[in-house]
Amino acid sequence: MIEEIRIRDLGVISEATLPLGPGLSVVSGETGAGKTMVVTAVGLLLGNRADAGAVRTGAKSASAEATLTLPAGHAALSRALEAGADIDEFDGGAELILARTVGADGRSRAHVGGRSAPVGVLTELGETLVAVHGQSDQIRLKGASAQREALDKFAAEAEKSFSTRLAAYRAVFERWREARAELELLRTSSRERLREAESLATALAEIQAVDPQPGEDEALKAEAIKLGNVEELRKASLGAHEALIAEDYGEGPDAVTLVDAARRLLEAVADSDDELAETSKRISEVGYLLADIARDLVGYATSLDSEGPGRLAEVEDRRGELAVLVRKYAPSIDEVLQWAAASQLRLDELADDSGRIELLEAEVADALAELAALAADVTRLRRSAADKLSRQVSAELKALAMPDARLVIELAAAERGIHGADDISFLLQPHAGSQPRPLGKGASGGELSRVMLALEVVLAAVDPVPTFVFDEVDSGVGGKAAVEIGRRLAMLARHVQVLVVTHLPQVAAFADQHILVTKSSVNNRSGGGITTSNVRLLNDEERVRELARMLAGQEESATAQAHAKELLAGARRTSP
């Protein structure tokens, strides 16, 4: 919902603030006062083309800004966040500010949530926030996809089984589309798949012939380093053994002898002190450990003698075989084995192409048969809903001074798609016996606005946007028809926010908020005149005076004011 619109230097409006609220808000004023600038401002905020001619004479730029409150999770909030907007959140909703500036040179800038954004973002947000109906504005339900969506939402309420049948159709359609795509791929790429299978088979045969083991390349690398340094390793191990146990009784003391001497010294006095006794035991353990290490060193040196140059050659040959696999297939042997496992699965899949094709052909045929039945159900339910929607909208048109007009909803057979097998068109038959024509063609701005009002009133409960703006909806009507237009705008306002620019007191009488645009002219120093407009929200007394002006052009007339009060009372009695 739009909480407030702020306008600066747009047309004849120098600066104005429109405080809006829920329900029906009307904007009135004398001809030329600038009422349409309100709709122009909304259009700018929806991303409409900027017109430098709309900038107030003498001003460098014009701007429009709106504060909106939206429920949590609204699509516009998500899109605004993607554009980098700052959004003020509160319990159950959020506040979003949109702004647009148009320079006198025609350049335009847009801001979403205080952040600069492309004008296209305003257009995307506007599609979910506001619907404007006027002679020069885009019609919300003009496009084929929008008409289909509106009919389907209406059908979901009017036909109990429509939603489930459409969902079932879409699920089968997706299954059919995926199966058909895979089938086409198998048929058109059979040669490529055969070459791929042959290549994989050759690679797997090569890997299998070498028979690599997990981690084998690293293990062989370590063994090669060891075998390449046998003499150094033997010298080091025997030297270490000599340091631990001097078997040739050399002059230097060995580690085992020294540890044993320390043990004997402590054992001699162990009975005198428990702490030294415990230390003696630990030294004994060290002696055993050193003896074990010495034996291991002898065994290690002996094993080096058995791994001579012959073993090193075997290792290098094996590493060469593994290097070929690593060069061709993956950075390591473990990754080569992983690639082989995945390739085997792919080869099994390619080898089963003929069987897979048969299964897919059967699946496609079954899905097509199921789709035909489901599409027929969807079309039948859509046609029934279209008849109901057409009758309801046509009834509304009769009350809106278009007694012979009728909404015609055509369903034509179309190529099967995700939404069914129907082409849907909303057409207007303005007079009995005339040829129905697409919405937007063959009707005046006022007539078209009334058609859209009738549609929106019927669809409001199932296909609403938060805010509707109507301009010229009351063009060319008066009397009872004007009262009916006001009543239906009030009906629509039960579901959404409605803003209407009007010159009819019968319409204005139904408003929840009445906004007046007034103009004044002043002379400047150069002798010329400057026209400015002001905007204000009317209180009850001011509202009576404005309705009197709209009725008779005499806001001070007691008779006109009495008639205005009667209009207000009648609107309150008959409001939905």
Side-chain angles (χ1 to χ4, degrees), residues 48 118 125-126 260 288 310 332 335 381 422:
N48 288 0
L125 293 174
D260 188 57
Y288 298 144
S332 69
E335 291 172 288
L381 294 170
D422 306 309

Side-chain angles (χ1 to χ4, degrees), residues 249-495:
Y249 303 101
E251 295 179 0
D254 60 66
V256 172
T257 301
L258 291 174
V259 170
D260 188 57
R263 177 184 59 78
R264 287 196 302 270
L265 286 172
L266 292 179
E267 283 181 346
V269 296
D271 292 340
S272 301
D273 185 78
D274 291 341
E275 184 176 350
L276 286 180
E278 182 63 30
T279 303
S280 174
K281 292 179 181 179
R282 294 168 62 193
I283 290 179
S284 295
E285 293 174 357
V286 171
Y288 298 144
L289 179 60
L290 289 176
D292 288 342
I293 293 174
R295 284 193 296 272
D296 290 344
L297 288 171
V298 171
Y300 177 81
T302 303
S303 70
L304 291 176
D305 293 334
S306 64
E307 297 178 352
R311 176 56 186 166
L312 179 58
E314 292 176 3
V315 169
E316 292 299 343
D317 288 344
R318 180 62 176 173
R319 291 185 69 195
E321 293 178 348
L322 298 180
V324 172
L325 300 183
V326 168
R327 186 170 60 251
K328 285 185 176 181
Y329 304 113
S332 69
I333 285 300
D334 286 350
E335 291 172 288
V336 168
L337 292 172
Q338 293 173 7
W339 181 88
S343 297
Q344 185 62 56
L345 293 175
R346 175 60 174 166
L347 181 59
D348 293 341
E349 177 186 335
L350 293 171
D352 192 37
D353 273 3
S354 59
R356 182 60 180 161
I357 287 175
E358 291 180 4
L359 289 175
L360 288 172
E361 287 175 340
E363 185 174 351
V364 167
D366 291 343
L368 280 175
E370 193 173 352
L371 277 178
L374 288 170
D377 286 346
V378 170
T379 298
R380 175 177 54 81
L381 294 170
R382 270 190 181 139
R383 199 175 299 280
S384 176
D387 290 341
K388 294 176 182 178
L389 178 59
S390 176
R391 288 197 301 272
Q392 292 183 32
V393 173
S394 298
E396 293 292 330
L397 291 175
K398 287 181 173 57
L400 295 174
M402 298 178 70
D404 299 322
R406 188 168 70 92
L407 178 70
V408 178
I409 302 178
E410 289 186 350
L411 272 70
E415 183 178 352
R416 194 177 291 113
I418 187 63
H419 301 295
D422 306 309
D423 274 339
I424 299 167
S425 302
F426 284 19
L427 310 173
L428 176 65
Q429 184 181 29
H431 309 289
S434 60
Q435 187 69 25
R437 302 190 65 185
L439 293 182
K441 296 182 179 179
S444 67
E447 288 176 331
L448 191 54
S449 291
R450 275 176 274 161
V451 172
M452 299 314 298
L453 172 58
L455 265 169
E456 301 295 10
V457 166
V458 175
L459 295 172
V462 297
D463 186 31
V465 292
T467 301
F468 287 85
V469 178
F470 287 93
D471 188 20
E472 300 187 23
V473 69
D474 51 18
S475 176
V477 299
K480 291 183 178 180
V483 173
E484 290 301 323
I485 289 176
R487 181 176 293 112
R488 274 149 180 80
L489 287 167
M491 288 172 60
L492 181 61
R494 288 189 303 174
H495 302 282

Side-chain angles (χ1 to χ4, degrees), residues 2-30:
I2 302 175
E3 295 285 349
E4 186 176 79
I5 298 176
R6 294 170 291 281
I7 303 172
R8 180 181 58 81
D9 291 331
L10 186 63
V12 294
I13 299 178
S14 58
E15 189 167 353
T17 299
L18 279 74
L20 303 178
L24 175 60
S25 298
V26 300
V27 178
S28 68
E30 295 180 357

Side-chain angles (χ1 to χ4, degrees), residues 134-146:
Q135 188 170 10
S136 60
D137 297 297
Q138 292 294 319
I139 301 171
R140 183 172 77 101
L141 298 176
K142 186 176 181 179
S145 62

